Amino acid sequence: MNMSPLELSLPRRRFLQASAAWLSLSLATPWAWAAGLQPGDTLPDLKSLQLEGALPDLSGKVVHLDFWASWCVPCRQSFPVLEALHKTYGSKGYVLIGVSMDERQPDMDRFLKKNPVSFTTVRDAQEKLASKVRPPGMPTSYFFGTDGRLDSVHPKYEGDATRKKYVEIIERLLKSVKA
């Protein structure tokens, strides 16, 4: 049977290494991450996936899932931008959830102490959400409209260009939020 690296049952470190390799491939061939969620797919039921941390109410909101890890340098660079987005749009119907892929809780806690944020962060210790979504690498952002359907996926973080893209997506999706 021919299986992709992300379809194999791997220990977390190998999963993350495979994710990095998969990201490199996906940048060269955009269809490579096709095994994960696709635009139009429904947001998985987060409450059923045993995420560590409290989840906010998502009904009727624009939902942004950002997969990150403490060892990821671009993730660290993205956190101030994510915090600014949360502060700017959080009261307008936008919900940002940072999903840590850290194997150990102390690693996540140390990262958050150095990079404090006010948006919701959870840990996918059992990789149940990651196995459904299949992020191609760290960081990867998923944007869901108010209907709970995936609008777009944005792998990697490239500074201001990424921030501008996120703002464009969020502002477009917020147009469907009912006041």
Side-chain angles (χ1 to χ4, degrees), residues 21-169:
W22 197 251
L23 176 60
S24 297
L25 177 62
S26 71
L27 297 176
T29 53
W31 50 264
W33 52 269
L37 287 183
Q38 295 295 299
D41 289 349
T42 304
L43 175 68
D45 177 13
L46 301 180
K47 292 181 180 176
S48 71
L49 297 174
Q50 299 174 319
L51 298 170
E52 295 175 3
L55 292 167
D57 177 30
L58 305 178
S59 58
K61 306 268 175 77
V62 170
V63 177
H64 176 178
L65 294 181
D66 183 75
F67 286 82
W68 64 276
S70 63
W71 49 263
C72 167
V73 173
C75 298
R76 191 172 345 164
Q77 296 166 343
S78 73
F79 261 53
V81 169
L82 295 173
E83 178 67 6
L85 293 173
H86 169 69
K87 287 183 174 181
T88 301
Y89 299 106
S91 64
K92 300 175 182 175
Y94 165 77
V95 174
L96 171 58
I97 302 173
V99 181
S100 171
M101 293 302 302
D102 281 304
E103 184 174 343
R104 297 174 355 107
Q105 179 77 38
D107 295 337
M108 180 181 118
D109 293 342
R110 252 188 318 280
F111 178 92
L112 292 173
K113 187 173 184 180
K114 290 180 184 175
N115 304 278
V117 293
S118 59
F119 59 82
T120 298
T121 56
V122 297
R123 190 166 73 102
D124 189 13
Q126 296 179 31
E127 299 180 11
K128 290 187 176 193
L129 178 57
S131 70
K132 290 186 177 294
V133 176
R134 296 193 177 169
M138 301 297 139
T140 298
S141 283
Y142 292 81
F143 295 89
F144 296 84
T146 57
D147 61 357
R149 300 222 174 258
L150 180 61
D151 176 81
S152 53
V153 179
H154 198 286
K156 67 186 192 159
Y157 179 78
E158 298 177 308
D160 199 49
T162 300
R163 183 195 63 77
K164 288 177 181 175
K165 185 66 175 171
Y166 288 179
V167 167
E168 174 189 309
I169 293 167

